[in-house]
Amino acid sequence: MKQTLMGNDAIALGMIHSNIDMVSGYPGTPSSEILTNVQKLKAQLKLDLYAQWATNEKVGFEVAYAGAIAGRRAAATMKQVGLNVASDPLMSAAYIGNLGAFVLIVADDPGFHSSQTEQDSRVFAKFAKIPVLDPATPQDAYDFVSLAVDISEKFQTPTMLRPVMRVCHARQIVEVKENHEFNPKKGKFQREISRWAAVPRAGRLRQGYEMIDRINAIKEYNWEELIKPEFEACKGGKLLVLTSGTGYGFAKEALEDLGIKADIVKFKMPYPLPENKIREQFANYEHILVVEEPMACIEEQIMASNVHGRLDNTMNVIDELQKIYIQDALTKLGLYKGENLYPSIPFKDEIPARPPNLCPGCPHRDVYYSIMKVFKKKKSIYPSDIGCYTLAINQEAIDTVLCMGASVSMASGFSIADPEKYTVATIGDSTFFHGGIPPLINAVYQKHKFLLVILDNSVVAMTGRQKPPQRQNGEVDIVKIAEGCGAETYEYVYSNDLNDTISFFKKMKEKYENATGPIVAVVREFCVLDKEVVGQHIHGEFAKVIAEECVACDHCTTIYKCPPMGYNEEGKVEIDPFLCIGCGSCLNVVCPTEAFTVDEERSK
């Protein structure tokens, strides 16, 4: 049966068709739709399975992995930087193994489209000594879930599925199973302390040798089942291209465009590779070019004098693959001497680049504006965190962004390094649950003095509005958590009257002056994209500008920075009615000449 599926849809359906019945993870582009779609399929098909977001990737990994130890088929989902958080249990799980299938799905983001770093999770799999599958298309993504389940159960090892953004978000007509009957395994934990709780050194050393034997056995499997048929179809000649994932499509198209004949071998499993058997094939070729992204995972395993790629700068060393990079590589190897088929031609009517910005009406804008107005730019340090509130960097209201939860621990560091300044850290609710609690405990017991503002909009807005723990029920409360950590904690319910927000932060500044440790301000907000609640907060109070009062001071366009605000041909500020959502926040405080007023006509 054929279905048009996005890559992440295909992975979700592949899990159902592989009878995976425990799925946990943490949202992050480009992986977020995988678990969301499993939840949708669960509801549509009335399936008895566990599919829930965890508080962070490490927790999600461990929940799912416990299911696999107990014999059920399980999967954990995350993006590549999330694997850094889950790397701790991954390293131990690679030694211990599993009984039921455990598929670790990590979506990579070559080109930094929505990530702070460009990482290659295939290299992480190599580091952990677990097999990794690299789909090139949504069809591969669907098929490889089943393959990963088979490998994981056959060799009793965690098995990684590594789609990249262009696979996760691409759409393709995919051939899928028809009339699949969901039939998950029963979980039954069997005590085996020497395996599941092996401690240094005797137990782990034995498991370490077993892990090496296991990875060597998977190499043989990879050769016999997946790679050997590829080489048997090769003809030999000047050029052999070795590739995996999206590199296959780029290489195939570029060779066709350039009119160059070559054999292409696509590695479904780029680690572990049977390197010696692969090198034996090199005698049939003059050049071997490795096309992969974003790092040299394949190339490092099969290095030889005639192998070229990222390590010798034949291919691009960073950034997402493009066909121009392959053309350049073939030119360097002397295999292409024709014209540049991929010239960069700037679009003559190109729209000017715009900086990232918070949504019109977003309460984060008012909170950051108020913090800056009270604590001042030059007198304070503003560490922040990962989430849509990071977009306040456009208001110059953020000094540092490192990784999930680092706003709190870096605030500790800044309070020690530069105590003459105020340190005001900001973090979202989901990020606080993810990685903000341990550093807050650390700050309390070590008495690090700073203000932590927790922006609680009760939704993981940037990755698709997943619901964080406090949204599910009233059992988890951020104020109580902060108090439980020992922090002096205050609560503020957002008002669209900026005077109220500024007054609250003036109060926080007074508290800061007399504090001996961290103080926490939990700001109860909402998300303007959250259709379930936004109607309770946006009352349709639209603004307009009295042209005669506008002195073009730039305050609204350079400090407050709401997207509808811009200059007209007369040099006066105007409100774009198409972008204004009627929050009314700009009617107070923002304009020094009080040029903003209620648009009575639109506000009726």
Side-chain angles (χ1 to χ4, degrees), residues 257-282:
D257 293 345
L258 301 170
I260 293 177
K261 294 186 182 300
D263 285 333
I264 306 178
V265 168
K266 171 185 167 185
F267 294 133
K268 294 178 180 176
M269 187 193 298
Y271 177 82
L273 291 176
E275 57 276 81
N276 291 331
K277 289 181 178 176
I278 292 172
R279 289 194 191 100
E280 289 172 4
Q281 311 300 316
F282 293 171

Side-chain angles (χ1 to χ4, degrees), residues 461-482:
M462 181 169 268
T463 52
R465 297 181 292 286
Q466 294 83 9
K467 294 180 180 178
Q470 81 277 26
R471 184 75 173 265
Q472 303 292 340
N473 51 51
E475 296 169 1
V476 178
D477 185 87
I478 293 175
V479 170
K480 291 180 180 176
I481 291 172

Side-chain angles (χ1 to χ4, degrees), residues 534-594:
V534 70
Q536 305 166 26
H537 300 278
I538 301 295
H539 304 294
E541 195 173 27
F542 294 90
K544 67 178 182 180
V545 178
I546 304 170
E548 294 75 17
E549 302 292 336
C550 176
V551 296
C553 65
D554 296 341
H555 190 83
C556 61
T557 55
T558 62
I559 299 176
Y560 190 67
K561 288 190 174 181
C562 195
M565 299 173 180
Y567 285 103
N568 60 22
E569 293 179 351
E570 285 75 39
K572 303 289 185 179
V573 169
E574 279 187 346
I575 303 294
D576 186 338
F578 180 75
L579 295 176
C580 181
I581 67 167
C583 70
S585 296
C586 62
L587 294 169
N588 303 296
V589 181
V590 171
C591 181
T593 61
E594 299 184 350

Side-chain angles (χ1 to χ4, degrees), residues 366 370 374 492-507 588-589:
D366 287 10
S370 301
V374 172
Y492 172 65
V493 179
Y494 169 80
S495 159
N496 65 354
D497 187 337
L498 259 173
N499 289 301
D500 295 340
T501 309
I502 291 170
S503 295
F504 173 75
F505 282 105
K506 284 181 177 177
K507 178 184 172 186
N588 303 296
V589 181

